[in-house]
Structure formats: C-alpha cells, structure tokens
Amino acid sequence: MSAQWRPFFVTLLALFLLVGGVSAATSSSEQEPNNTPAQANALYSATPMQGNIDPAGDVDYFSIRGNGTGWGVVAVLDASASAMGHDAVLTAFAPDGTTVRAQNSGRWEKGPLIAWLRDTGRDDHFLRVSEQGNDGRITPYTLRYYALALGEQPEQEPNNTLATANTSAITNIGAIGSATGVDCFAFSGRAQQKVMVALNADPEGDGGPADFILELRRRDGSVWASANYGGPGEDEFIDEHTLPADGVYAYCVRTQSGAGPNATYLAGIIRDGRFYLPSFTYDVQWLNPRPGRWAQVGDEMRYTVTLTYNDPLPFPGPFWFNVYYEPDCQDIVDDAHADFHRTGEFGWRFDEVTANMTVSKDVVMQAKTACTGSLDLGYVSNYYVTATRSRGPSYIIGSGYYLPLVLK
Ligand SMILES: [Ca+2]
Ligand SMILES: [Ca+2]
Ligand SMILES: [Ca+2]
Ligand SMILES: [Ca+2]
C-alpha cells in the first residue's frame, strides 16, 4: 500500500510536483527553420539557447511549457555580442501563437527583458526573438528563461532598511508611495548559490507610471548591484551574482521618478535557476518497533515527529506542520493536540514561523490491519504558496502469525 499525498489545498499540487522539474543549465542552439509557432524550438527553463537573427528578416520562435496560472516566466535576452543588439526585440505569445502577452525592445543591460509574466495555463507558450524592423542581423544572441512560481505577497511597511526588511516570499508585490520611499526584502542564501533579481514594473498591465531602480544588497546592507536601465513602466533585472558566504542578503526597490499609489511593482529573486523557498528538514523517530522493525495488529506505534526551519528569517503564517498516515493501516490514538484533521492527515497551525524554529510532537498511532506504509511529514505555507511532503520511515504491520521476511 503506497502513500497517497493529500494536499491541504488541492491547487498546490501542481506547484509541489514541479518543484524538481527544472532542467540542468546546459546550453543548446537553435535549429532552423523556427520561423513560426508550429516550427518553434523547445526551450527549457534555466537552459541558455544560442541563436542568430540571420539573414535580415529572420525570426526565431521558441516554445516553453506552461505550468498553470500560479506560475510565470522571467525571459532574458543577451544581444550584447552583436553590433545590432540594440535593436533586438523579445515577444511573448499566448498558446495560440498570435496573441502578444508582452513585448520588449528595451534593455536590462544586454538586451530586452520580460519579468514575471504570468502563464495563461498549461499549454505551451511561445517566445520570439526578432530584430526591430526586420532589416538587420543579430549575431549572436543568447536567450534564457526561467519557469517560476509567482506567489505574490503584499509588502508590509516599514521595510525601508535591511533591519526592517520583509522576508522575501517567492515574489513580493508593493508600491513606492513617495520619491524617498524604499522597499527591502531579505532572503537567506548559502555560499556559492547564484542569485538573480527581477522586477516587473507594471503588474496590472495598465501602463506603470514609475521608473524603478532595483538593488541587490550585501549582508552588511551595502549596494552590491543596481539596475536602472528601463524607463517608466519598464522591467529591471540584475543578472547572476554568486553569494560569497552563507547569510541574509536583500533586494530593494526605489524609484527614479513616478512614485505614488499607482507605482506598483512585483519583484523576486531567482536562486540557482529556481524560485525562492526557505529550507525545512524533517525527522520521524519510531520509538517502539518490535525487533526486526515491525508492528503487530493492535500495537500502539509511538512516534516523535520533528520539523526544523533552518533559516534566520521569520515569516508570517498561517503555516501548517502536517503528518500524513495510511488510514487503512493505522488509527490515531494521540494526535498531540492537532489543530486539524482530514482523512489520512492531521497537523498543527502556526501564526508565524520564527527564526530557526524547531517543533517536535509525540504522536501515537494504532496498528489496524496487516499492511505496509510510512508516516510522512510536510508543511503547507500560504506565504510561500507551496506545500511539501517528505517520506518518513516505512513500517510493516503483521497479523501476528508470522514475522515479515523483508525488512527495511
Ligand atoms: Ca535564427
Ligand atoms: Ca528563424
Ligand atoms: Ca517602504
Ligand atoms: Ca528604471
């Protein structure tokens, strides 16, 4: 009997399943002809694609997998090695191949950029590289995109300094209300992790009034990198920076002009090619197995279950620490005052996840029938709009007439 994951929120299932779905960062090269959506080359998240707009009039289409409306993309074109790179245009199309979702001919530094564009669904979407006017060559260019959960969380003021920074969610949404306003978001990282920062300057898609400045901050709060290449309503991007040491870093948003209640933005980091999540570990100790690690029908099975948050940044709840069990195998005897139950799961609710939090609970189950299974742990977090489940130790419940021969 295998464990079935029963997510607390069904809509989170896709997000969980896709967490591990990012390809390795090997590069590939375009294959002509790729001049229509039907001919599009497949482009994979975090895998650079080398190409050329050559001869003049060439256009290159790439298909990218849609992950659903809770997901989006950051797409980055580097045309800086081409003399005509200033005229590069990056266009994102809906799955019909013709509806333009976003288009940029501006500059993040090295070419056009589309930041945090929401997927319309699970069908393939398209990106197109072309030259402004279709009358010049771009040789070469490199196109990258990242498939990322969105999970916008609203900022909480005050957040103007590293000391008061909001803990970064997957992405944060906010507004710079005055010319001196600053919003900072802290994230934790490990030495050698690679971090990029992207800002969408018009999350409502109605023409953003503000000209944003995006900053990456070191652990001491000093500015490590600053991006202000686009004008009003244009996205900003800071390319890969390798973290020199473990610790808390931040990104901050301010304005060059156009601050006010409508100066809204959406910003977040890409860490090692993926969206940002904090680190949790789990432990399950089965305290009283029979010799040979099994239980007999009727036995009480005692466990200590532990969740550890390995991070110095607290973040707001609600947050649930969950135990997943096989309801056909086991009954609950003592749920350690769980805050909720549903078939095959129970758990505890927290209003906040504090720095380096560890939670241990002693639970007791009763072996119900001969079967095999495992006691699994996981969490559900609204702040990170995600859920995980980790396989716990497996068990065998025997009828008592024989000792199981296969033991783990
Ligand atoms: Ca081409
Ligand atoms: Ca082409
Ligand atoms: Ca602020
Ligand atoms: Ca700007």
Side-chain angles (χ1 to χ4, degrees):
M1 192 173 297
S2 68
Q4 289 287 316
W5 184 44
R6 296 174 189 84
F8 194 69
F9 297 107
V10 172
T11 52
L12 299 172
L13 178 62
L15 179 56
F16 169 67
L17 290 175
L18 288 162
V19 163
V22 176
S23 304
T26 53
S27 71
S28 50
S29 298
E30 64 155 330
Q31 299 294 320
E32 294 281 0
N34 55 9
N35 305 324
T36 65
Q39 296 174 334
N41 296 164
L43 183 66
Y44 299 100
S45 183
T47 304
M49 173 71 76
Q50 319 291 334
N52 297 288
I53 296 302
D54 187 23
D58 184 25
V59 296
D60 295 343
Y61 279 86
F62 300 95
S63 63
I64 59 177
R65 193 174 80 175
N67 287 321
T69 55
W71 287 69
V73 302
V74 173
V76 183
L77 189 73
D78 180 350
S80 61
S82 169
M84 294 292 287
H86 293 303
D87 294 328
V89 182
L90 181 59
T91 309
F93 293 93
D96 65 9
T98 57
T99 304
V100 174
R101 302 278 330 286
Q103 186 168 61
N104 185 247
S105 56
R107 304 290 296 280
W108 57 273
E109 183 181 1
K110 297 179 175 177
L113 159 73
I114 293 170
W116 306 112
L117 177 67
R118 185 182 291 279
D119 291 357
T120 61
R122 294 177 173 278
D123 294 331
D124 281 354
H125 295 55
F126 298 94
L127 294 173
R128 184 184 70 191
V129 180
S130 60
E131 193 269 345
Q132 190 92 269
N134 296 312
D135 54 2
R137 303 184 309 145
I138 299 171
T139 55
Y141 66 78
T142 303
L143 176 63
R144 290 175 282 158
Y145 102 99
Y146 301 90
L148 302 159
L150 289 174
E152 302 98 330
Q153 291 293 333
E155 60 156 328
Q156 298 292 327
E157 295 283 358
N159 53 8
N160 301 353
T161 66
L162 212 57
T164 60
N166 297 157
T167 298
S168 182
I170 294 176
T171 63
N172 290 85
I173 210 155
I176 302 295
S178 73
T180 56
V182 188
D183 292 346
C184 290
F185 303 93
F187 63 94
S188 63
R190 304 241 173 241
Q192 301 307 311
Q193 282 182 331
K194 296 178 183 351
V195 172
M196 294 171 265
V197 197
L199 177 140
N200 180 315
D202 182 19
E204 296 84 12
D206 56 0
D211 181 350
F212 287 103
I213 302 168
L214 180 61
E215 296 171 346
L216 176 62
R217 301 283 189 98
R218 295 184 184 86
R219 291 179 299 163
D220 65 4
S222 62
V223 176
W224 190 3
S226 180
N228 183 13
Y229 297 97
E234 294 196 317
D235 300 346
E236 298 288 355
F237 178 70
I238 294 172
D239 207 356
E240 203 164 88
H241 280 63
T242 301
L243 304 183
D246 296 359
V248 174
Y249 298 79
Y251 55 93
C252 299
V253 180
R254 59 177 74 239
T255 51
Q256 176 82 39
S257 65
N262 297 324
T264 51
Y265 63 86
L266 188 160
I269 66 163
I270 304 164
R271 191 175 65 180
D272 285 342
R274 299 159 69 145
F275 60 87
Y276 176 66
L277 279 184
S279 166
F280 287 92
T281 53
Y282 304 101
D283 185 56
V284 181
Q285 295 292 328
W286 182 13
L287 303 176
N288 64 338
R290 290 173 181 262
R293 226 181 146 65
W294 70 296
Q296 185 172 314
V297 171
D299 283 356
E300 285 193 350
M301 303 170 73
R302 299 178 172 276
Y303 299 94
T304 300
V305 297
T306 303
L307 170 141
T308 303
Y309 175 54
N310 306 294
D311 201 298
L313 293 168
F315 69 85
F319 175 91
W320 293 267
F321 172 29
N322 293 355
V323 174
Y324 302 91
Y325 67 100
E326 283 297 331
D328 297 334
C329 273
Q330 295 178 306
D331 286 326
I332 301 168
V333 176
D334 183 348
D335 65 4
H337 306 289
D339 296 310
F340 81 91
H341 285 264
R342 60 178 62 188
T343 305
E345 69 182 86
F346 58 93
W348 302 272
R349 184 189 192 281
F350 299 87
D351 293 333
E352 182 192 26
V353 176
T354 56
N356 300 306
M357 180 174 88
T358 296
V359 179
S360 276
K361 301 285 184 182
D362 295 323
V363 302
V364 182
M365 311 296 288
Q366 185 165 43
K368 188 174 174 182
T369 187
C371 61
T372 63
S374 62
L375 197 76
D376 299 345
L377 302 182
Y379 75 81
V380 175
S381 163
N382 280 14
Y383 196 65
Y384 287 100
V385 196
T386 191
T388 64
R389 175 169 174 164
S390 173
R391 175 62 58 87
S394 58
Y395 55 73
I396 295 171
I397 297 173
S399 63
Y401 298 116
Y402 62 93
L403 267 175
L405 296 176
V406 182
L407 302 170
K408 281 189 177 178

